Amino acid sequence: MTSLDIQLLLTALVSVLVLVALIVSRIKLHPLLALLIVSVGVGFATGMDPETIVKQLTNGAGKTLGAVGVVIALGAMLGKILADAGITEQIAEAILRHSSDRMIPWAMTLVAFIVGIPMFFEVGLVVMLPLIFSVARKLEGQARFKGSAYVYVGVPVISALAAMHGMVPPHPGPLTAIATLKTTVGPTMLYGFLAAIPAMVLGGPLYGAFIAPRMSTKPDQALLDQFTITEKATAGQQPSIALGVLAALLPAILMLIHAVAEMLLPKDAAAMHVASFLGNPLIAMLLGVLFAIVALVMARGGDTEKLRDALGKSLKPIASIIMIIAGGGAFQQMLTSAKVGDAIVHLTQQFAFPPLILGWLIAMLLSVSTGSATVGIVGAAGLLAPLAGADPSLNLPLLALSIGCGSLFFNYANHAGFWMVKESFGMTMGEATKTISVVQSIVAVVGLIMVLLFNALVTVH
């Protein structure tokens, strides 16, 4: 390691500490302002000129808004339509009616597991938020429930979505590792599913049951009111629950079709191009909103002017969330552009670890330091690709899975997902750390344990 590497690592560490201090100290700075200030500080501390700093800030924020912000806005619209139509209420009542209080987290884990197969973490969370809030709000009304119902219901969803996102193709992280290491999708997917089950159980229902009684988290009232309804519509006014579920899951279905097409069709096939377009998160969410408008409002003679006003109002409670996530994207871009990732790679080269552990460790360090799971996966897979090609005894699907697991560890203040969970649930920095950061760490560590177990079993046989 060089002195520059040490300087970069210290800069990354200090920047996170300063960020947290600006938000939680007496200054109580708004997270967006804190993120932008720290991002500029990182730029100057790593020798960037002012023009480059501004360029990286706008690129990072703009890229995140394009990839996540518009999808969140569309998800808020879809959630508002489902809530106003009574669909979310019906699904929540069905879950509560068929599940005891202890079984609700398990039911939510199953729903998130299914939704998370094709959906990115942030997109899946946007789709699940109305259901989380509806179930938790009803559960909260029961006098016997102690603690935060929103954490109790939300943690299993976060765990399941994170596990699927990092471990199971066709998510971009695992697919990137598979392509770089020149291995195959089938075995990696099988290992990923098997590893995800204990990971999301320990990080979800079990950890959620432990932490929820110790927290009092409750989302902002405006966001709660948007995604839930307080007055029941009469039975004749409500669409069928089957139609509502189809509207809610249509984006996931389109993304799943795209994922299957990627595995079965050649890249230049016409059907592949169609599936790729329809399965893009932005297009899939747009089609989901349009389908919900037609099927749940217009087809039932709904007032379109009232709908327009409702959709406009649905964006107000999430505007702050979207902008904070954009600030997180700027911070992430600044750390990545400063070559903090290269310093992490140089650090890991100082130690000798077995390949499966080394892949997890490099992906973890890159993800934590740069705020990007993708950077962690690409860096780790690229670094270990020569070793993967030279060692025929190395189980490449397990190596790809190990790298994917490592990229999940300790999602924190330079990750967009952290801010999305924090702001959506109305959490403090500490509460968000106890939830998404710890949950994803549990998932990442359990995933590594499962990788090592699978490797030992395969080696024995």
Side-chain angles (χ1 to χ4, degrees):
M1 290 183 66
T2 65
S3 58
L4 177 60
D5 292 331
I6 296 173
Q7 178 188 343
L8 289 173
L9 293 175
L10 288 175
T11 299
L13 176 61
V14 170
S15 67
V16 173
L17 295 176
V18 171
L19 174 64
V20 174
L22 288 174
I23 296 172
V24 304
S25 67
R26 290 185 179 181
I27 301 175
K28 299 292 183 188
L29 208 58
H30 189 278
L32 174 60
L33 295 176
L35 284 163
L36 293 178
I37 290 171
V38 171
S39 298
V40 172
V42 169
F44 282 120
T46 54
M48 295 184 190
D49 59 79
E51 185 178 342
T52 301
I53 291 174
V54 173
K55 181 180 178 181
Q56 297 302 332
L57 280 176
T58 53
N59 285 349
K63 184 169 61 177
T64 303
L65 280 177
V68 179
V70 179
V71 173
I72 292 175
L74 291 170
M77 290 183 172
L78 180 58
K80 181 62 174 173
I81 296 170
L82 294 171
D84 286 351
I87 298 300
T88 310
E89 181 92 348
Q90 290 185 68
I91 298 173
E93 286 182 347
I95 291 175
L96 290 167
R97 189 166 56 248
H98 294 95
S99 304
S100 65
D101 289 358
R102 289 187 177 183
M103 290 305 297
I104 286 173
W106 298 89
M108 296 299 293
T109 300
L110 179 60
V111 175
F113 174 80
I114 295 170
V115 169
I117 290 175
M119 284 191 165
F120 300 167
F121 177 85
E122 290 85 357
V123 181
L125 187 59
V126 168
V127 170
M128 290 292 296
L129 276 179
L131 184 58
I132 294 171
F133 289 173
S134 293
V135 172
R137 194 170 194 172
K138 288 179 174 294
L139 191 61
E140 186 182 38
Q142 301 177 5
R144 66 180 180 274
F145 188 84
K146 305 298 181 184
S148 172
Y150 300 92
V151 171
Y152 187 67
V153 177
V155 161
V157 173
I158 293 170
S159 178
L161 292 176
M164 299 306 289
H165 183 81
M167 297 186 190
V168 182
H171 287 281
L175 282 180
T176 300
I178 289 168
T180 304
L181 298 174
K182 295 182 171 57
T183 185
T184 51
V185 172
T188 309
M189 180 176 284
L190 177 60
Y191 283 133
F193 273 120
L194 293 175
I197 293 172
M200 64 187 184
V201 166
L202 287 170
L206 298 183
Y207 179 70
F210 168 77
I211 195 67
R214 295 163 172 80
M215 297 179 69
S216 57
T217 298
K218 185 173 182 177
D220 181 75
Q221 192 62 44
L223 197 59
L224 266 182
D225 292 341
Q226 173 177 313
F227 284 147
T228 59
I229 57 175
T230 54
E231 296 181 7
K232 288 187 178 180
T234 60
Q237 293 175 320
Q238 289 185 337
S240 69
I241 192 169
L243 183 62
V245 170
L246 176 60
L249 293 182
L250 183 60
I253 294 170
L254 292 173
M255 291 184 202
L256 183 59
I257 292 172
H258 174 214
V260 173
E262 276 190 319
M263 292 185 285
L264 300 180
L265 298 177
K267 289 184 178 180
D268 56 351
M272 181 64 222
H273 291 299
V274 173
S276 178
F277 175 74
L278 296 178
N280 179 278
L282 192 151
I283 299 300
M285 288 299 297
L286 175 61
L287 292 174
V289 172
L290 295 177
F291 178 80
I293 289 173
V294 173
L296 304 181
V297 182
M298 290 184 174
R300 308 184 67 80
D303 187 334
T304 52
E305 185 172 349
K306 183 179 178 182
L307 171 66
R308 183 184 64 186
D309 292 342
L311 294 183
K313 291 178 181 176
S314 73
L315 299 179
K316 293 179 181 179
I318 64 161
S320 178
I321 297 174
I322 292 175
M323 295 313 300
I324 290 170
I325 289 173
F331 186 32
Q332 172 193 318
Q333 180 68 33
M334 197 65 71
L335 289 171
T336 303
S337 300
K339 305 296 184 184
V340 173
D342 290 349
I344 292 292
V345 170
H346 297 156
L347 173 65
T348 58
Q349 289 173 340
Q350 308 299 310
F351 306 96
F353 292 102
L356 295 179
I357 295 178
L358 184 62
W360 186 93
L361 189 62
I362 295 173
M364 179 271 288
L365 291 171
L366 287 174
S367 177
V368 170
S369 61
T370 65
S372 171
T374 302
V375 170
I377 290 173
V378 170
L383 190 65
L384 293 179
L387 176 62
D391 185 358
S393 66
L394 187 58
N395 189 316
L396 298 185
L398 286 180
L399 180 59
L401 176 58
S402 176
I403 290 171
C405 291
S407 72
L408 296 173
F409 189 86
F410 205 71
N411 184 306
Y412 198 54
N414 51 354
H415 286 73
F418 175 89
W419 294 104
M420 184 173 176
V421 170
K422 177 187 178 299
E423 297 301 317
S424 297
F425 286 85
M427 295 176 172
T428 64
M429 290 291 289
E431 289 171 336
T433 303
K434 292 176 185 176
T435 51
I436 182 170
S437 300
V438 174
V439 167
Q440 294 209 186
S441 298
I442 292 172
V443 170
V445 172
V446 173
L448 175 62
I449 292 171
M450 294 303 295
V451 164
L452 299 177
L453 179 61
F454 292 151
N455 188 59
L457 292 174
V458 170
T459 302
V460 168
H461 291 86

